[in-house]
Amino acid sequence: MKIGVASTWALAAMASNETGPGGIRTVGAARAEMEAFLYPRPVAELYGIGPAQARTLTTFGVHSVGILATLPESTVQRILGGAPDD
């Protein structure tokens, strides 16, 4: 059994892929705990990022969630081809 526990379902789903003893992985709700869990992860692990988007991001040097988090939203939209929100 694999169980992830976190403040959001997407984060809990990611945590369930990295379970420890007993099959449970918990990610705390504090920002620092979430960042420590998420930032080293490959962008391909993010919910909603498909294989093509992950390849595009890594082509631009965006290999981890931490790098993606530092980018302005407009930059990510240009890389992935999304239209800016007005």
Side-chain angles (χ1 to χ4, degrees), residues 2-5 11-13 18 30-31 39-40 45 47 49-50 54 59 61 64-65 67 69-70 77 80 84 86:
K2 296 179 355 175
I3 299 172
V5 179
L11 191 55
E18 187 189 281
R31 182 181 181 117
Y39 280 18
E45 289 187 19
Y47 178 79
I49 297 289
T59 298
S64 70
V65 175
I67 294 170
T70 66
Q77 288 172 335
L80 296 178
D86 290 326

Side-chain angles (χ1 to χ4, degrees), residues 9-36:
W9 69 266
L11 191 55
M14 290 175 71
S16 72
N17 290 323
E18 187 189 281
T19 58
I24 299 173
R25 173 67 159 98
T26 302
V27 178
R31 182 181 181 117
E33 293 173 282
M34 289 187 283
E35 288 175 357

Side-chain angles (χ1 to χ4, degrees), residues 22-84:
I24 299 173
R25 173 67 159 98
T26 302
V27 178
R31 182 181 181 117
E33 293 173 282
M34 289 187 283
E35 288 175 357
F37 176 77
L38 283 172
Y39 280 18
R41 302 219 165 310
V43 291
E45 289 187 19
L46 281 175
Y47 178 79
I49 297 289
Q53 291 173 318
R55 278 191 304 276
T56 300
L57 287 165
T58 56
T59 298
F60 282 89
V62 183
H63 302 279
S64 70
V65 175
I67 294 170
L68 181 62
T70 66
L71 297 176
E73 184 178 338
S74 60
T75 301
V76 177
Q77 288 172 335
R78 279 194 303 276
I79 291 172
L80 296 178

